[in-house]
Amino acid sequence: MATDVVVLGAGYAGVMAANRMLAAHPEVSVTVVNPRPVFVERVRLHQLAAGSGAAAHDLAEVLHPAAVVHLGTAVQIGADRVLLADGTALPFDVAIYAVGSGAGVPAIPGADRLHSPAEFERAMDTAAALDGLGDGAGVVVVGGGLTGVESAAEIAEAHPDLTCTLVGDPVAHLPGATRRFVAARLRRLGVRVRPGRVVAVTEREVLLADGEAVPAELTIWAGGFTVPDLARRSGLPVDGTGRLRVDATLRSTGAANVVGVGDAVTVDGQDHIRMSCQAALPLGAHGADTAWALLAGTDPQPLSLGFVAQCISLGRTSGVVQLTRPDDTARGGALRGTLGAFGKEMVVRGTVWTLRRQARGHGYPFPKGPAAAPDPIAAPR
C-alpha cells in the first residue's frame, strides 16, 4: 500500500508519531517537516537559557532512519497537500499536526525587550545576554509557573553574581508543603520573589501594576505559551488560543485526514491535558495509531490519557516530583530536594533514551489502543 504521511513538527509528539508509525508500518512513507535539523528538549531550555546545559540532539539520533526530513516551515494545509514557505508542496494521505508551542508575547509596552526560555533560538539569545551582564545586574523572571520557577532557580545558581527576582506567585497550584519547599529553595539561591503583575518593561526596570519599579537590565518572560497560527490560516477549527480542535481519536474536527498531537491541539472532552512532554509522548503515539487506522480504513480508537506527576528542577542539585491524580491535580506525595532532582533528571534522560531506541528499531513502549504515559513519571512543562 503506497501511502504518504506528513508529520508537521519534530518535537516530542512529532518524533514519537513518526517513529511509531515506521516501527509498526514500514510500508508507509513518512516525511517530517521541521524548521531545524535538531530535536529540541523543551524541558531543558531553561538550562540552555541559563548557560548550565545543552538542549538539542541531531534529529538522526532520535528519528527513525526511514523518515525523510524536510527542513522548512509549513504555511498552509490543504485537502491533500501541505505548502511550505520555500514553495514545496508535499502530498499526503494523512497529515499529523505536531507544530508545538512557543513563547507568549504580552501586550505591554516594552514587550520587544523581553527574552524567553521557551524557544530554542531565544533561549540561546538569553544565555548570551546573561553572559554580557556585569556583576550585580538585575535579572527579572516573570511567571510563577513551572517554567518561571525553573528559569529563576537555574539562573540564580549559574550566575550567583547577578541579582535575580521572580515576579509571580511560585507554583500556587501545588500543595502547601511543596510551595514552602520551593520558596525556601529560591531564598537559598538568592532569588527575590515579588508577587505582582508586570505592566511595562523599560531598558532598566520592570514596572508593576502597583507602581513599584523592579531594577532589571534583563527581563525574561515565562508567562505562558502560544501556538503557531497554521491551523487557523488553513481554515481548520481552532479554540480561542489557536489550538487545533480534535475529537477523542485525535482527528481534526474539520478535516478527516488531519490528526493533531502535542501542545498545539485541544482534545474535545479532555480539558485536563496540559501542554507538556508528559502529554506529548502518548499523544504522538496515539496519533500514529489513529493515522494508521485512517489509512487502513478502520475505526480509530479514543484517547485515554492520565497524568502521574509534575516535575520541577530547582537548579542542578534540587527539585520536586509532585505526584498528581490522572486529571493532573496534585495529591499528597512528593519527592523533594536531591531525590526530586534525581527523579526529574532520570525522567528527562529516559524520554530521549526511549526515542533513541525507537530510532534504532527497538520498538516502542506503548501497547496498541488507548495511549498511556510511557514511564512511571514523565516530564511536564
Side-chain angles (χ1 to χ4, degrees):
M1 178 171 63
T3 53
D4 293 306
V5 171
V6 174
V7 180
L8 302 175
Y12 296 104
V15 169
M16 174 63 79
N19 285 354
R20 181 170 174 110
M21 177 63 75
L22 287 167
H25 309 289
E27 68 273 27
V28 176
S29 172
V30 175
T31 299
V32 178
V33 178
N34 201 55
R36 58 183 74 87
V38 296
F39 167 76
V40 176
E41 287 190 85
R42 285 287 300 273
V43 293
R44 289 199 190 275
L45 283 180
H46 63 287
Q47 293 176 241
L48 181 64
S52 60
H57 305 268
D58 193 296
L59 269 177
E61 294 182 30
V62 297
L63 191 61
H64 196 286
V68 176
V69 176
H70 190 111
L71 296 181
T73 302
V75 295
Q76 186 79 24
I77 302 172
D80 61 0
R81 61 194 59 241
V82 175
L83 179 65
L84 306 186
D86 63 8
T88 302
L90 297 175
F92 66 83
D93 296 291
V94 175
I96 298 179
Y97 188 84
V99 296
S101 61
V105 180
I108 58 174
D112 58 317
R113 301 179 182 276
L114 294 171
H115 287 259
S116 173
E119 296 173 359
F120 183 61
E121 289 80 9
R122 295 187 68 183
M124 290 194 295
D125 290 343
T126 301
L130 285 168
D131 284 340
L133 296 177
D135 288 356
V139 176
V140 169
V141 178
V142 183
L146 305 188
T147 302
V149 168
E150 290 189 325
S151 298
E154 201 77 29
I155 290 168
E157 185 176 78
H159 299 273
D161 53 319
L162 302 178
T163 300
C164 187
T165 301
L166 176 66
V167 175
D169 188 2
V171 293
H173 64 292
L174 294 182
T178 295
R179 294 200 307 271
R180 290 189 292 273
F181 178 84
V182 170
R185 173 63 177 169
L186 291 174
R187 283 195 300 271
R188 284 195 294 274
L189 289 170
V191 178
R192 176 193 177 200
V193 176
R194 173 61 166 88
R197 179 172 60 87
V198 173
V199 296
V201 178
T202 72
E203 185 177 353
R204 293 290 180 180
E205 296 175 325
V206 168
L207 304 179
L208 305 183
D210 63 5
E212 181 179 346
V214 182
E217 278 80 9
L218 182 68
T219 304
I220 298 169
W221 185 264
F225 302 108
T226 59
V227 299
D229 65 348
L230 175 61
R232 190 192 304 276
R233 284 188 283 110
S234 301
L236 298 172
V238 297
D239 70 2
T241 66
R243 294 187 297 170
L244 176 70
R245 288 191 176 277
V246 297
D247 65 16
T249 71
L250 304 185
R251 289 179 296 186
S252 166
T253 57
N257 61 343
V258 175
V259 175
V261 298
D263 285 359
V265 308
T266 179
V267 184
D268 283 354
Q270 300 200 39
D271 294 338
H272 71 287
I273 299 179
R274 169 173 46 87
M275 290 183 178
S276 62
C277 166
Q278 186 173 175
L281 294 176
L283 283 169
H286 194 87
D289 288 350
T290 292
W292 173 251
L294 297 176
L295 294 172
T298 61
D299 292 331
Q301 298 299 305
L303 173 76
S304 176
L305 189 155
F307 288 87
V308 292
Q310 295 185 21
C311 304
I312 313 167
S313 66
L314 300 167
R316 295 297 82 217
T317 60
S318 185
V320 175
V321 176
Q322 175 67 56
L323 300 183
T324 67
R325 301 177 183 87
D327 67 358
D328 202 37
T329 57
R331 56 190 179 93
L335 300 177
R336 304 185 185 98
T338 304
L339 282 177
F342 178 79
K344 173 162 185 179
E345 183 62 23
M346 290 303 98
V347 165
V348 174
R349 292 188 186 188
T351 297
V352 175
W353 178 83
T354 296
L355 295 176
R356 282 174 170 163
R357 279 185 56 82
Q358 290 179 323
R360 288 160 175 76
H362 296 301
Y364 42 85
F366 298 92
K368 288 190 177 295
D375 300 303
I377 302 167
R381 288 289 308 161

